[in-house]
């Protein structure tokens, strides 16, 4: 056998081995190991929908009042989980809004109580009634809508579109687009600051964070994120003027000072970090990402942070959310050949 043939055979064998390992990781979600900071409560199994293929990939998890909304990129389904009907939610507490294509973020308008979900392949924001989980209206928006946020001070829905490098503003009362804002890069996640009434938006392709003035409908400031490559998820501590930014390629959580306009600290987390959640009462930050590494970070002071725990959950368990009432943590799992599910944790205090 020639050297080139041996190399090709070795490469093929390695590729097959990697694919087998990834398949096993997606098919068989193991019970998370016990850790000091969290107690694993179990799984909430989500129902398979009509158009589900072998692989189901979940996206954003969003808590609104008594409900947790979970979206599916692969099927377009939006799941609603009732959080406070029993001690531990289960599949009986789940209802589904089935519609294609790919679904991403969800927000609920507190006035009309209607929900809005982004669909990237359709370039729409779909309005639906969370009571009966049925479509109300489709609103065309800029290409590749992903993150979506309700802004209480302006009573607007803000939609970040990556390919278009724009934010679309929606009036939830009229259920119509009322304008766009050029962002100057591909937006990832964002957070609204109630003190300055600015929207802080990560731009993943330029490694920057920008401040968006929704009244002026423009970017008013932008800052480089030194040492933070591919900023993705974000959470805000608006009382202490801190942003918590997941740096996907850098595998770290960056703490950005909103007054000094720079990163003041960072904590190592898993590679492909994607989603960040902040529990302001417990002063605890959670990060997870592509490889399913869940990192638990304590906020000791507003300028000092340390990793408390790090645990492997499940490949592509990349999104999470906190229930502020119970402090429970929910993490969405990708699945292959089995039903998708959420892992549920309670913090040990």
């Amino acid at each position: 056998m020639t050297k080139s043939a041996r190399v090709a055979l070795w490469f093929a064998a390695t590729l097959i081995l990697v694919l087998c390992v990834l398949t096993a990781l997606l098919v068989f979600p193991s019970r998370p190991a016990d850790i000091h900071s969290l107690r694993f409560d179990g799984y909430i199994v989500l129902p398979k929908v009509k158009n589900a293929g072998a692989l189901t990939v979940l996206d954003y998890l969003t808590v609104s009042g008594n409900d947790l909304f979970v979206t599916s990129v692969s099927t377009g389904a939006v799941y609603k989980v009732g959080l406070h009907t029993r001690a531990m939610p289960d599949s009986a507490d789940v209802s589904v809004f089935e519609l294609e294509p790919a679904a991403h973020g969800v927000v609920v308008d507190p006035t009309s109580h209607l929900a809005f979900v982004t669909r990237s392949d359709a370039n729409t924001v779909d309005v639906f009634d969370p009571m009966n989980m049925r479509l109300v209206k489709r609103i065309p928006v800029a290409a590749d809508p992903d993150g979506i946020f309700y802004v209480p001070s302006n009573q607007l829905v803000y939609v970040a579109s990556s390919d278009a490098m724009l934010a679309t503003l929606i009036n939830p009362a009229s259920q119509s687009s009322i304008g766009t804002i050029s962002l100057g890069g591909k937006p990832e996640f964002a957070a609204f600051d109630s003190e300055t009434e600015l929207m802080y938006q990560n731009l993943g392709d330029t490694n920057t964070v920008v401040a968006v003035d929704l009244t002026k409908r423009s970017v008013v400031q932008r800052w480089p994120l030194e040492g933070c490559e591919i900023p993705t998820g974000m959470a805000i501590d608006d009382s202490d003027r801190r942003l918590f930014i997941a740096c996907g390629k850098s595998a770290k959580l960056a703490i950005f000072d909103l007054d000094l306009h720079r990163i003041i600290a960072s904590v190592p987390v898993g590679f492909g970090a994607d989603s960040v959640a902040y529990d302001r009462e417990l002063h605890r930050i959670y990060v997870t990402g592509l490889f399913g590494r869940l990192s638990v970070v304590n906020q000791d002071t507003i300028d000092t942070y340390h990793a408390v725990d790090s645990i492997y959950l499940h490949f592509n368990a990349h999104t999470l959310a906190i229930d502020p009432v119970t402090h429970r943590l929910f993490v969405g799992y990708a699945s292959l050949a089995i039903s998708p599910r959420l892992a549920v944790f309670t913090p040990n205090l």
Side-chain angles (χ1 to χ4, degrees):
M1 183 181 292
T2 65
K3 182 178 179 181
S4 59
R6 288 196 302 272
V7 170
L9 183 61
W10 176 86
F11 179 79
T14 303
L15 180 60
I16 291 170
L17 179 61
V18 169
L19 290 174
C20 289
V21 170
L22 290 178
T23 299
L25 290 174
L26 286 169
V27 172
F28 305 108
S30 60
R31 185 189 187 282
D34 293 327
I35 56 176
H36 174 73
S37 60
L38 292 171
R39 181 188 75 228
F40 175 62
D41 293 332
Y43 294 113
I44 302 173
V45 178
L46 304 176
K48 279 203 167 187
V49 296
K50 295 175 184 176
N51 67 329
L55 178 65
T56 300
V57 179
L58 302 178
D59 206 352
Y60 292 112
L61 277 62
T62 306
V63 173
S64 178
N66 293 323
D67 298 316
L68 169 66
F69 292 93
V70 183
T71 59
S72 171
V73 175
S74 48
T75 68
V78 180
Y79 301 94
K80 183 182 74 171
V81 182
L83 294 180
H84 307 139
T85 57
R86 66 191 80 221
M88 169 67 179
D90 61 25
S91 55
D93 301 306
V94 180
S95 55
V96 190
F97 169 40
E98 293 189 47
L99 193 66
E100 298 182 59
H104 299 285
V106 173
V107 293
V108 177
D109 171 28
T111 302
S112 67
H113 303 292
L114 293 175
F116 297 73
V117 57
T118 51
R119 296 193 184 275
S120 57
D121 292 344
N123 296 329
T124 63
V125 169
D126 287 359
V127 186
F128 69 96
D129 187 339
M131 293 297 293
N132 58 28
M133 300 295 278
R134 292 181 181 174
L135 180 69
V136 174
K137 183 178 181 180
R138 280 200 144 172
I139 306 170
V141 294
D144 195 25
D146 186 27
I148 185 169
F149 312 89
Y150 180 77
V151 184
S153 62
N154 300 72
Q155 296 183 320
L156 293 174
V157 173
Y158 172 99
V159 182
S161 291
S162 181
D163 287 352
M165 301 186 187
L166 293 175
T168 301
L169 301 181
I170 291 175
N171 182 339
S174 63
Q175 298 170 19
S176 60
S177 170
I178 58 172
T180 60
I181 301 171
S182 176
L183 298 173
K186 291 182 176 292
E188 289 286 341
F189 210 71
F192 181 71
D193 178 16
S194 58
E195 181 175 314
T196 62
E197 297 191 351
L198 295 174
M199 181 71 77
Y200 290 97
Q201 173 73 70
N202 278 340
L203 301 180
D205 60 333
T206 61
N207 300 330
T208 56
V209 61
V210 298
V212 182
D213 188 316
L214 301 180
T215 302
K216 295 178 180 178
R217 298 189 185 180
S218 65
V219 171
V220 291
Q221 288 180 287
R222 61 181 70 234
W223 305 281
L225 296 172
E226 299 291 344
C228 178
E229 292 188 72
I230 311 183
T232 52
M234 179 193 291
I236 188 169
D237 176 1
D238 45 10
S239 62
D240 289 324
R241 318 294 303 137
R242 299 291 182 268
L243 289 177
F244 308 119
I245 300 173
C247 307
K249 188 176 179 181
S250 305
K252 66 175 66 171
L253 174 71
I255 293 84
F256 185 86
D257 188 315
L258 285 170
D259 295 323
L260 298 177
H261 304 141
R262 61 179 177 84
I263 293 172
I264 57 160
S266 64
V267 180
V269 295
F271 181 79
D274 186 35
S275 187
V276 182
Y278 174 56
D279 190 321
R280 63 185 66 250
E281 289 187 27
L282 301 183
H283 299 285
R284 182 179 285 183
I285 307 143
Y286 302 100
V287 186
T288 191
L290 175 64
F291 290 107
R293 176 66 60 178
L294 172 63
S295 299
V296 184
V297 177
N298 266 11
Q299 182 185 41
D300 304 320
T301 71
I302 62 172
D303 292 331
T304 57
Y305 301 79
H306 78 279
V308 177
D309 278 311
S310 180
I311 180 177
Y312 175 77
L313 298 182
H314 190 62
F315 184 77
N316 205 26
H318 69 110
T319 54
L320 48 76
I322 293 172
D323 177 3
V325 174
T326 63
H327 299 282
R328 269 182 167 155
L329 179 70
F330 300 87
V331 184
Y333 278 29
S335 62
L336 182 65
I338 61 173
S339 296
R341 61 201 58 216
L342 307 175
V344 185
F345 300 87
T346 296
N348 293 318
L349 304 179

